[in-house]
């Protein structure tokens, strides 16, 4: 919700602010012929025109902002927008535009007639999970004879040239490339199929139009490729040796493995079903409530989501510049696409906060500390590290309230 507060400084107040600004600035700027801080104001203004006015405006903006927070009890959730309406030698007029929490009018949030999906696990799903597990334990074996086929691992040297000149990032030595992974530009992996060990070949290819590098997007290049070695994946069989290598407790045969895989699939499906159930409840409840969320709040939430995303990329060794280049996109485009999810998150947050208030839901520090102890033991962490990772005790207390609000919504569905 936006609230605009107009502030007009009276002549005497404005003059005092300018004098205070002058004294502050005069001690920072040396003027020839005068000791630091001793230059007359008129001479200072001639040497540094406009600086006193700007500094004085900052002084009064800061002063009025504190007054608004303390006396008018306005609690902004974003930095206020500050517009100078008028500034002369005799007066200063400013508009403060505050963005505050929007007003929420709850609609129906109980008895929403939402049913949780039943969870089933098929034999095909169990077998697919076992097949995936076997591939993870597959051995890479050198292919002594024959040519590169789809699914093989080709160990290659390569270098890319545009108009006869090698380009940055286009060279690799003894690079292990799984044929069919589509990790290179279209045509590269297909061009290697059929090559033999020791064979060299030139691949004439064209980079996609939307490739992240402007120098290469849509451009024809030549990759010089040499196959150094060909490897194949040797998938193990479900025998005694495999189960020993697997090292899973109480898993010594195919039947026990199938049972374990079935349970893992069931738990994952149950988790997704639980999340979908909550999402469905929130979607209906938010559509029943009334709330107007300012665009600035949505923008700030999308910015925060973008930062979190890039932080995760950074943890994987991918910086922002590299990600944007290879994704062939911009920060602005990503944030724009994130706004829909940002709005959804905000609506969910405001809904749950309103339910907590309406139902007078409470949580105690003791409840939060109990969870800290349990998590510290479960994950072998110190209690202090657990608290820090979750944002502190206050954040944990609020999270417990949120979960109680969700439990209330679920309870009404039983």
């Amino acid at each position: 919700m936006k609230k605009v507060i107009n502030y007009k400084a009276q002549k005497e107040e404005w003059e005092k602010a300018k004098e205070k600004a002058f004294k502050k600035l005069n001690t920072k700027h040396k003027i020839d012929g005068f000791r630091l801080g001793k230059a007359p104001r008129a001479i200072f203004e001639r040497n540094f025109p406009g600086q006193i006015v700007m500094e004085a405006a900052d002084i009064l903006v800061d002063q009025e902002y504190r007054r608004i927070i303390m006396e008018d009890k306005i609690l902004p959730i974003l930095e206020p927008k500050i517009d100078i309406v008028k500034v002369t030698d005799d007066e200063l007029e400013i508009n403060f535009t505050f963005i505050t929490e929007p007003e929420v009018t709850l609609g129906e949030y109980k008895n929403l007639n939402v049913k949780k999906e039943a969870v089933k696990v098929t034999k095909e799903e169990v077998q697919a999970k076992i097949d995936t597990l076997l591939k993870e334990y597959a051995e890479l074996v050198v292919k002594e004879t024959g040519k590169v086929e789809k699914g093989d691992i080709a160990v290659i040297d390569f270098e890319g040239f545009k108009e006869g000149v090698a380009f940055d990032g286009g060279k690799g030595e003894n690079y292990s490339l799984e044929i069919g992974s589509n990790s290179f530009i279209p045509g590269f992996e297909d061009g290697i199929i059929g090559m033999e060990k020791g064979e060299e070949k030139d691949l004439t290819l064209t980079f996609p139009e939307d490739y992240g590098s402007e120098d290469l997007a849509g451009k024809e290049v030549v990759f010089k490729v040499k196959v150094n070695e060909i490897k194949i994946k040797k998938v193990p069989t479900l025998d005694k040796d495999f189960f020993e290598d697997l090292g899973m407790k109480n898993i010594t045969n195919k039947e026990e493995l199938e049972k374990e895989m079935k349970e893992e699939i069931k738990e994952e499906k149950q988790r997704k079903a639980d999340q979908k159930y909550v999402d469905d409840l929130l979607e209906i409840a938010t559509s029943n409530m009334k709330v107007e969320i300012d665009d600035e709040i949505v923008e700030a939430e999308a910015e925060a989501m973008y930062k979190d995303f890039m932080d995760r990329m950074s943890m994987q060794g991918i910086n922002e510049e590299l990600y944007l280049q290879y994704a062939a996109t911009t920060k602005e485009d990503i944030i724009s696409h994130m706004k829909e999810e940002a709005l959804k998150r905000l609506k969910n947050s405001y809904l749950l906060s309103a339910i907590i208030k309406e139902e007078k839901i409470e949580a105690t520090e003791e409840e939060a500390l109990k969870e800290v102890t349990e998590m510290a033991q479960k994950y072998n962490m110190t209690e202090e590290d657990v608290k820090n990772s979750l944002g502190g005790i206050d954040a944990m207390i609020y999270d417990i309230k949120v979960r109680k609000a969700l439990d209330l919504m679920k309870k009404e569905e039983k």
Side-chain angles (χ1 to χ4, degrees), residues 66 241 270:
R66 290 199 304 271
D241 290 338
Q270 188 64 60

Side-chain angles (χ1 to χ4, degrees), residues 101-112 114 277-293 297 342-361 398 401-410 413:
E101 294 280 8
E103 293 182 2
V104 177
T105 303
L106 284 170
E108 184 57 65
Y109 57 89
K110 300 177 183 178
N111 301 311
L112 300 177
V114 176
Y277 175 53
V278 169
D279 289 343
D280 290 344
L281 286 171
L282 292 172
E283 184 177 357
I284 295 174
T286 54
S287 68
N288 290 340
M289 77 176 181
K290 293 180 180 179
V291 62
E292 291 186 10
I293 303 175
I297 301 177
L343 180 59
K344 179 180 176 181
R345 288 189 186 187
L346 288 165
K347 285 183 176 180
N348 290 346
S349 177
Y350 291 133
L351 169 80
L352 291 166
S353 292
I355 292 174
I356 289 169
K357 184 177 180 181
E358 177 70 19
E359 299 287 344
K360 297 180 174 60
I361 295 173
Y398 184 75
K401 290 181 182 180
V402 167
R403 279 182 271 143
K404 287 181 177 181
L406 287 170
D407 287 342
L408 177 67
M409 296 174 71
K410 295 175 188 177
E413 293 298 312

Side-chain angles (χ1 to χ4, degrees), residues 31-258:
I31 297 176
D32 290 342
F34 298 93
R35 286 182 294 160
L36 189 63
K38 299 299 181 180
R41 180 167 162 179
I43 293 176
F44 183 93
E45 287 178 330
R46 283 202 303 271
N47 280 268
F48 301 100
Q51 286 206 19
I52 291 177
V53 168
M54 287 189 292
E55 181 68 26
D58 286 343
I59 290 171
L60 290 183
V61 164
D62 185 59
Q63 176 181 301
E64 180 62 11
Y65 177 76
R66 290 199 304 271
R67 187 203 66 77
I68 292 170
I69 300 300
M70 299 298 294
E71 297 180 14
D72 296 348
K73 306 298 182 184
I74 290 179
L75 299 175
I77 58 175
L78 300 174
E79 284 293 318
K81 181 183 177 185
I82 300 170
D83 296 306
I84 296 180
V85 179
K86 186 178 183 181
V87 58
T88 69
D89 285 341
D90 296 330
E91 57 185 326
L92 173 72
E93 183 178 355
I94 297 170
N95 277 341
F96 292 83
T97 303
F98 290 92
I99 304 291
T100 59
E101 294 280 8
E103 293 182 2
V104 177
T105 303
L106 284 170
E108 184 57 65
Y109 57 89
K110 300 177 183 178
N111 301 311
L112 300 177
N113 196 30
V114 176
K115 302 301 178 186
K116 188 189 296 186
E117 292 180 359
V119 170
K120 295 180 181 179
V121 180
T122 66
K123 289 182 179 180
E124 291 76 14
E125 288 172 326
V126 173
Q127 186 58 51
K129 190 169 180 67
I130 291 176
D131 290 343
T132 299
L133 181 65
L134 288 171
K135 287 179 182 178
E136 290 175 0
Y137 278 80
E139 258 186 283
L140 287 180
V141 179
V142 175
K143 189 175 181 178
E144 298 295 349
T145 60
K147 301 178 180 181
V148 176
E149 300 176 33
K150 190 171 183 179
D152 289 348
I153 308 295
V155 182
I156 61 172
D157 294 339
F158 65 91
E159 186 168 15
F161 296 84
K162 186 184 77 170
E163 298 176 350
V165 179
F167 55 83
D168 290 341
K171 183 177 181 179
E173 294 181 353
N174 287 320
Y175 184 91
S176 294
L177 174 63
E178 182 176 353
I179 306 303
S181 63
N182 298 317
S183 53
F184 275 50
I185 65 172
F188 189 96
E189 293 169 34
D190 289 341
I192 296 175
I193 293 175
M195 293 180 68
E196 298 178 336
K197 178 181 177 180
E199 184 178 349
E200 298 183 22
K201 187 177 183 180
D202 288 354
L203 303 177
T204 302
L205 304 171
T206 301
F207 273 88
E209 294 289 345
D210 60 355
Y211 190 69
S213 170
E214 291 184 7
D215 291 338
L216 296 174
K219 300 295 191 301
E220 184 177 279
V221 299
V222 174
F223 279 99
K224 294 184 177 297
V225 181
K226 179 184 177 183
V227 175
N228 298 324
E229 199 170 43
I230 307 171
K231 297 180 181 179
I232 58 174
K233 290 182 178 179
K234 184 180 178 182
V235 178
T237 57
L238 294 175
D239 55 18
K240 180 181 177 182
D241 290 338
F242 173 75
F243 290 114
E244 287 180 356
D245 290 340
L246 191 60
M248 294 177 68
K249 189 176 181 181
N250 300 323
I251 307 295
T252 59
N253 56 53
K254 181 180 178 182
E255 290 72 25
E256 290 169 349
L257 179 62
E258 288 175 337

